Amino acid sequence: MPLSDHEQRILEEIERKLAEDDPRLAEQVSTTSLYSHLSRRIRWASVAFILGFVLLLCFALALWVAVVGFALMLASALLVFRYLRQMGRDQLRALQQGDRFSFASFLARLTGRFRDEPQPPAD
């Protein structure tokens, strides 16, 4: 449903006041998309997964270190799965066709396989 002229003017006034009050926030909101936000979170969850794996390998130090590492791996893997599901099919397809050797592209291709989507032909 499109906005009326009055609603559009109110929205433009709110945007203008926001840009005057906090220009840094206005710029950040205008440049950040859902895709970039979720990609950043996927990267952090992947780093947490690797850290959890390292802690799991340190089980010789103490059993509790290994348990913490396993819990961290499990939580970060669930977060990556959740963020990939939030991205949507179009964004995943764009990510799949991007850089073939990036970690995000690998995760997108893996998610596409679990969704039973046809894979794009390899170049």
Side-chain angles (χ1 to χ4, degrees):
M1 170 190 297
L3 297 175
S4 68
D5 291 337
H6 179 68
E7 293 170 333
Q8 188 67 32
R9 276 184 263 129
I10 291 173
L11 183 60
E12 289 170 359
E13 179 69 23
I14 291 171
E15 289 176 2
R16 187 181 58 75
K17 285 185 179 181
L18 176 64
E20 289 174 1
D21 292 344
D22 195 353
R24 198 173 89 200
L25 174 66
E27 182 180 339
Q28 183 182 10
V29 168
S30 67
T31 59
T32 302
S33 67
L34 176 66
Y35 170 73
S36 63
H37 177 69
L38 291 176
S39 295
R40 188 177 318 113
R41 285 188 168 195
I42 287 171
R43 281 191 294 266
W44 279 109
S46 301
V47 168
F49 184 85
I50 292 169
L51 178 65
F53 184 71
V54 169
L55 288 175
L56 185 65
L57 292 178
C58 296
F59 70 92
L61 299 175
L63 180 62
W64 66 269
V65 173
V67 171
V68 169
F70 178 74
L72 185 62
M73 287 175 63
L74 182 63
S76 61
L78 290 174
L79 284 174
V80 167
F81 178 72
R82 178 176 173 230
Y83 297 146
L84 284 172
R85 287 197 60 179
Q86 286 179 349
M87 270 193 176
R89 294 183 191 274
D90 294 335
Q91 292 166 339
L92 283 175
R93 282 191 191 116
L95 195 58
Q96 286 173 349
Q97 294 170 354
D99 186 15
R100 301 292 289 175
F101 298 108
S102 72
F103 186 70
S105 177
F106 167 73
L107 288 176
R109 286 192 304 274
L110 188 64
T111 303
R113 287 187 185 135
F114 284 122
R115 288 186 177 181
D116 296 330
E117 293 178 357
Q119 293 294 317
D123 293 332

